[in-house]
Amino acid sequence: MTNSNKRANALADRLILGAMKLAEFAEGLTDLEWNTPVLGDGRTIGVVVHHVASVYPIEVELAQILSKGNPITEVTKEAIDTMNAEHAIEYKQADRQKTLDLLRTNSENAANAIREFTDEELDKSAPVSLYHDAPLTAQFFIEDHALRHSFHHLGKIKASLI
């Protein structure tokens, strides 16, 4: 195994860890809890879990763009807010089992895609519109989005149920 595979595998393993922690927690929720709004967010826990599951492909695709040294130009806070609002409407009645299946499938697919990155690709950087065109590496983008996403929302979900 090359060094690049070790780095990529470590990133992928951490992504899977977060997705599994989120899935395991969500499996233990009551129906009332699944439909509880997340504090400071407004979307229900079920919608947020579905959101995490559904954006893995997008997050990895954006990291792949960076890994080739190409900029991310159309992703803004406003675009993300619009995407999230539309998703919340479409999936306001997110089925728990289908959502958890999607979470597992998409996180596995994302992890497999991340395992394909080389060190050189992880280290490539380009401007990212979401960060005011700061030149970010593909590895940073993976860590700040696909990898962090499930941990971030799990923390907010737990805080909403206290």
Side-chain angles (χ1 to χ4, degrees):
M1 180 181 292
T2 65
N3 186 40
S4 65
N5 285 338
K6 286 181 184 177
R7 276 176 64 193
N9 282 331
L11 290 168
D13 290 347
R14 290 180 1 229
L15 180 144
I16 292 297
L17 175 65
M20 292 306 96
K21 284 182 178 282
L22 179 59
E24 288 168 8
F25 187 82
E27 282 176 328
L29 297 175
T30 66
D31 289 342
L32 181 62
E33 290 169 331
W34 179 256
N35 292 297
T36 298
V38 175
L39 293 176
D41 185 306
R43 296 176 290 179
T44 66
I45 290 171
V47 169
V48 170
V49 173
H50 192 281
H51 156 77
V52 171
S54 66
V55 296
Y56 281 124
I58 298 166
E59 293 166 330
V60 170
E61 180 182 332
L62 292 172
Q64 289 168 330
I65 290 169
L66 287 177
S67 76
K68 293 171 180 32
N70 296 322
I72 295 173
T73 59
E74 302 296 319
V75 180
T76 62
K77 182 178 181 332
E78 295 77 21
I80 291 171
D81 289 347
T82 298
M83 178 185 74
N84 289 344
E86 290 171 357
H87 175 270
I89 292 167
E90 185 174 352
Y91 293 97
K92 68 181 178 183
Q93 299 297 325
D95 176 87
R96 186 185 330 216
Q97 192 56 56
K98 288 180 183 176
T99 297
L100 294 173
D101 291 345
L102 183 67
L103 179 65
R104 288 185 176 95
T105 298
N106 282 356
S107 64
E108 280 292 332
N109 291 340
N112 289 337
I114 289 168
R115 291 181 202 288
E116 298 297 318
F117 282 79
T118 65
D119 279 351
E120 182 178 86
E121 290 171 327
L122 290 171
D123 291 338
K124 284 262 174 125
S125 65
V128 178
S129 54
L130 182 61
Y131 295 88
H132 307 286
D133 292 327
L136 303 176
T137 65
Q139 179 166 340
F140 173 85
F141 200 85
I142 290 167
E143 289 179 318
D144 196 47
H145 292 278
L147 193 157
R148 177 187 68 89
H149 211 172
S150 53
F151 291 102
H152 166 78
H153 283 297
L154 179 57
K156 288 185 163 195
I157 289 166
K158 286 180 176 180
S160 299
L161 295 173
I162 295 175

